[in-house]
Amino acid sequence: MPGGEITPDKLIVIGEVAKDFGLYTKITGGQRIDLFGARVEQLPLIWKRLVDAGMESGQAYGKSLRTVKSCVGSTWCRFGVQDSVGMAIALELRYRGLRAPHKLKLGVSGCARECAEARGKDVGVIATDKGWNLYVGGNGGFTPRHAQLLAEDLDDDTLVQTIDRFFMYYIRTADRLQRTAVWMEELEGGLKHLQEVLIADSLGIGADLDAAMARHVDSYSDEWADVLGDPVKLARFSSFVNATDYPDPDLLYVAERGQKRPATPEEKQAVLIAGPALQVRP
Ligand code: SF4
C-alpha cells in the first residue's frame, strides 16, 4: 500500500482474507498491514485474492526498498507546504523491488515539523516553501543516526534524479549488508564527495547511474503475480514435496488478545489450536 494509502474496498478484502485464513493482523510502523501465520501452501491462494483486488507484494522480505513513510502533507494538514503523500507514492512506485546491499527505507514529510521522521531513514525528504530538502544516511536499529542534508529546495524532477543516483552509487559501491549510514562514513570525502558525484557529476557517471535506475523501473514486475503465473514456481508452495496436500502439523498457535500467535514449546505440549476459528482443544 504505497504511501500507506488504502481504499475502504481494499481494506475490506484484507480483512476478509485475514478472517478466512485465520491470520494475525497488525498495523506496522511502515504504514502497512502485517498478516502473519499463513502456511506456505496458503500463500498463493492469499496472494491471488490480494492481487485480484489490485494489491502487490510489498517486498518486506528482501534487502530492497521497504517502505516510504509519509505524513498527510498539504492535502490534509494546515502546516503542509507540499504533497508529501503524492511524493511518497511516486518514490515507492519508482524504487519498489530495488535490490540493494541492505534494506532501504524512505520518509517524506510535508513540512519541517517532520511527522514522517524522514531524517531517521536512508533517504529523507522534507518539504520546503520552494520544493524539497533531501537528507541521506539515516537509520534506526542498533545505532540510530540522523540523515544528513545532501541538497536543498529541489524541484520534483531533480529530487528524484538525485535519489536515483544516490541509490545506484550506493548499490554499486557498498559492501553487502552495509547500510547507507555506514557506507557514507567509510566513503572517502563523505557527504561532500556525494554532493560532488551526485549533483556536480564530478566522476562523469551521472548518465550511467540514471540509465541503471531507468532499467530497474522498466523491468519491475510484481513477484506475487510472477509466482501465480508460473506453474514451476507455484509447485514450490507446499509444506511437503511428497505430500502436497498435507499441512505442516508442527505449526501450532494459541489465542491472545482475540487473535492467534505461535505457541511456545511448552504450550505446544499442552494446547493445540486448529483452523481460522481458533477453537481450543486440550
Ligand atoms: S510534517 Fe508538517 S505537513 Fe506533515 S503532518 Fe506534520 S505538521 Fe503536517
Side-chain angles (χ1 to χ4, degrees):
M1 41 172 71
E5 248 184 20
I6 182 89
T7 64
D9 284 340
K10 286 181 180 174
L11 205 49
I12 287 167
V13 171
I14 290 173
E16 287 172 346
V17 166
K19 277 177 88 169
D20 292 348
F21 289 88
L23 305 177
Y24 170 81
T25 310
K26 185 182 189 306
I27 306 290
T28 74
Q31 300 181 334
R32 294 181 174 190
I33 296 176
D34 280 337
L35 299 172
F36 286 173
R39 291 194 311 272
V40 66
E41 69 271 17
Q42 294 175 319
L43 292 177
L45 301 170
I46 292 169
W47 293 346
K48 176 151 188 7
R49 284 175 57 178
L50 296 176
V51 167
D52 287 348
M55 288 173 266
E56 62 179 26
S57 169
Q59 314 280 344
Y61 40 80
K63 297 300 179 202
S64 60
L65 177 79
R66 295 293 173 85
T67 58
V68 186
K69 186 173 179 177
S70 60
C71 71
V72 290
S74 56
T75 316
W76 290 96
C77 176
R78 64 196 166 116
F79 297 119
V81 290
Q82 305 287 347
D83 175 15
S84 51
V85 179
M87 178 55 73
I89 291 171
L91 294 176
E92 181 157 344
L93 294 180
R94 186 168 185 79
Y95 303 123
R96 61 189 169 175
L98 180 66
R99 291 301 196 268
H102 211 303
K103 63 187 173 186
L104 295 169
K105 296 184 177 181
L106 287 78
V108 185
S109 282
C111 80
R113 288 169 182 78
E114 246 287 66
C115 295
E117 300 166 331
R119 290 196 62 198
K121 309 294 184 201
D122 297 281
V123 167
V125 178
I126 300 178
T128 71
D129 290 335
K130 299 180 195 153
W132 306 95
N133 284 353
L134 173 58
Y135 296 80
V136 291
N139 62 240
F142 278 117
T143 312
R145 293 177 180 86
H146 270 143
Q148 301 175 57
L149 181 63
L150 183 78
E152 288 180 275
D153 295 328
L154 302 175
D155 60 45
D156 289 9
D157 290 344
T158 312
L159 172 76
V160 170
Q161 184 188 49
T162 312
I163 299 173
D164 282 0
R165 292 181 178 187
F166 174 76
F167 278 153
M168 273 302 158
Y169 194 45
Y170 162 66
I171 288 168
R172 290 185 168 185
T173 62
D175 289 335
R176 291 196 318 183
L177 298 180
Q178 188 176 44
R179 287 201 72 175
T180 56
V182 179
W183 169 67
M184 283 176 59
E185 276 167 20
E186 296 185 1
L187 202 60
E188 202 176 316
L191 184 69
K192 190 163 183 306
H193 169 77
L194 276 183
Q195 288 166 329
E196 289 167 0
V197 172
L198 306 181
I199 299 167
D201 199 12
S202 61
L203 296 179
I205 59 172
D208 184 36
L209 298 175
D210 296 344
M213 187 59 81
R215 280 195 296 278
H216 160 73
V217 173
D218 291 344
S219 63
Y220 170 81
S221 65
D222 170 33
E223 291 179 1
W224 287 353
D226 291 347
V227 169
L228 293 173
D230 183 339
V232 176
K233 288 182 181 167
L234 265 180
R236 296 184 198 143
F237 288 80
S238 64
S239 292
F240 301 100
V241 289
N242 57 353
T244 49
D245 293 331
Y246 190 67
D248 185 345
D250 198 40
L251 296 175
L252 299 173
Y253 301 93
V254 295
E256 189 171 78
R257 296 187 292 277
Q259 300 201 72
K260 73 177 186 184
R261 66 157 171 80
T264 64
E266 298 73 34
E267 288 167 337
K268 280 186 181 178
Q269 304 300 321
V271 180
L272 296 179
I273 293 182
L278 294 178
Q279 292 162 337
V280 179
R281 59 190 167 90

